[in-house]
Amino acid sequence: MKWFMNLKIGVKLTVAFVTLAILAGFVGGIGIINMKSIDKEYTILYRDYGIVMGKLGVLGMDFRDMRTATRRVFLDKTSDLRLKSYNKVVELDKKIDDDIKEIELTLVSEEEKVKFNGLKSKISSFMSTRERVFSLANSGRLDEAATLFQNEAEAKSLEITGEITDLFMSKNTLGNKRIVEVNDMSSSTMTMMLITTIIIFILAVILGMFLSKLISKPIYKLKDAANKIAEGDLTVKVNVNSKEEI
């Protein structure tokens, strides 16, 4: 500490202010890093759970509409209406295909991928049965088409709807669990930042008190010596332990 004692007062103050600035920057740096980490976690949470849950909902609605349009193919009375329903099915098939591709991009765990592949297989099986229904309807065998749809396609569609619901609920459960984990991490980060801020504040106070005492102590010695000289005591000596201005 001898080197610090020999510094000029202005340099001591500068060193103290720079030290405080470094400590403040340290706290700010920790805060920025932690906030970026939390922001990243919430972004992942939205991407892996929020978006995919919305996509699963869209897939469910598109499949429901496609199933309804399929029924219209053999229920509509005229060929023109049946053709219109068939075109609607083709349009919805493209949407369902897009939904599936978008959902696959958001799947994270192997378990989710396995479940979703199972769903895709069931959708393909439904569409295979549906093509047989269309074939019967196009040949004018509407009653047979209706029977095939009710006995086979309808059961498959219920399984598909159940699979979509299960995937949605699974994502919802995992998402809620992840929300709790991220919130806990956020709380821990805020607590750590608060503790760090308090520690830095205490260090700043200690540094300020030390510097104040370091500068004021020799001044008080000079003041006491001056008072004694004023009283006529010319034998007063002031010990100098540093090479600063005082």
Side-chain angles (χ1 to χ4, degrees):
M1 290 298 294
K2 186 67 177 177
W3 66 271
F4 188 75
M5 299 286 290
N6 292 331
L7 294 175
K8 302 296 183 181
I9 293 177
V11 177
K12 289 177 183 176
L13 291 172
T14 300
V15 170
F17 289 140
V18 169
T19 302
L20 290 176
I22 292 173
L23 292 175
F26 176 73
V27 174
I30 291 177
I32 291 173
I33 292 172
N34 288 333
M35 291 307 294
K36 283 186 176 180
S37 176
I38 293 172
D39 181 66
K40 182 180 178 181
E41 290 296 329
Y42 276 114
T43 300
I44 293 173
L45 183 65
Y46 173 71
R47 181 196 67 197
D48 292 346
Y49 296 96
I51 292 178
V52 70
M53 287 174 66
K55 294 298 182 183
L56 282 169
V58 172
L59 174 61
M61 289 186 291
D62 287 340
F63 180 79
R64 179 201 62 195
D65 292 343
M66 183 269 287
R67 183 183 61 184
T68 300
T70 299
R71 291 174 61 90
R72 300 305 310 172
V73 170
F74 58 82
L75 289 177
D76 286 333
K77 301 300 182 181
T78 66
S79 58
D80 288 341
L81 290 176
R82 288 196 292 271
L83 179 59
K84 183 178 179 181
S85 296
Y86 178 80
N87 290 335
K88 181 66 175 179
V89 170
V90 173
E91 177 186 336
L92 288 166
D93 278 352
K94 293 179 181 179
K95 291 186 64 178
I96 289 172
D97 188 53
D98 290 339
D99 295 338
I100 289 173
K101 290 178 181 178
E102 290 177 357
I103 292 172
E104 284 180 320
L105 294 175
T106 65
L107 299 178
V108 179
S109 68
E110 287 301 319
E111 182 182 357
E112 290 176 336
K113 293 176 182 179
V114 170
K115 285 184 177 180
F116 195 70
N117 285 334
L119 174 62
K120 286 169 57 180
S121 296
K122 290 181 179 180
I123 291 176
S124 296
S125 177
F126 172 86
M127 290 182 174
S128 177
T129 302
R130 185 193 65 185
E131 292 306 313
R132 290 160 55 200
V133 170
F134 288 161
S135 178
L136 290 171
N138 288 335
S139 62
R141 298 154 66 184
L142 299 180
D143 291 339
E144 292 181 45
T147 301
L148 178 59
F149 183 87
Q150 292 170 359
N151 293 342
E152 192 172 326
E154 194 67 57
K156 291 180 178 180
S157 70
L158 291 176
E159 287 183 9
I160 292 169
T161 302
E163 286 280 345
I164 294 174
T165 301
D166 288 343
L167 279 168
F168 183 90
M169 295 306 297
S170 176
K171 273 291 185 181
N172 183 57
T173 301
L174 291 173
N176 287 334
K177 181 180 178 182
R178 186 60 183 151
I179 286 173
V180 172
E181 292 174 353
V182 174
N183 286 340
D184 288 343
M185 185 180 72
S186 177
S187 298
S188 298
T189 298
M190 296 302 294
T191 300
M192 185 183 71
M193 287 181 61
L194 179 61
I195 293 173
T196 303
T197 302
I198 292 173
I199 292 174
I200 297 300
F201 175 76
I202 293 173
L203 290 175
V205 171
I206 292 174
L207 178 63
M209 293 175 63
F210 169 75
L211 190 62
S212 175
K213 184 177 181 180
L214 191 66
I215 294 174
S216 63
K217 187 175 181 180
I219 294 176
Y220 282 122
K221 285 183 178 180
L222 289 176
K223 177 184 175 184
D224 292 339
N227 288 335
K228 289 180 179 180
I229 292 173
E231 293 172 358
D233 185 359
L234 302 178
T235 63
V236 175
K237 292 182 179 181
V238 178
N239 296 324
V240 178
N241 298 319
S242 64
K243 296 179 182 180
E244 61 182 13
E245 295 93 330
I246 297 176

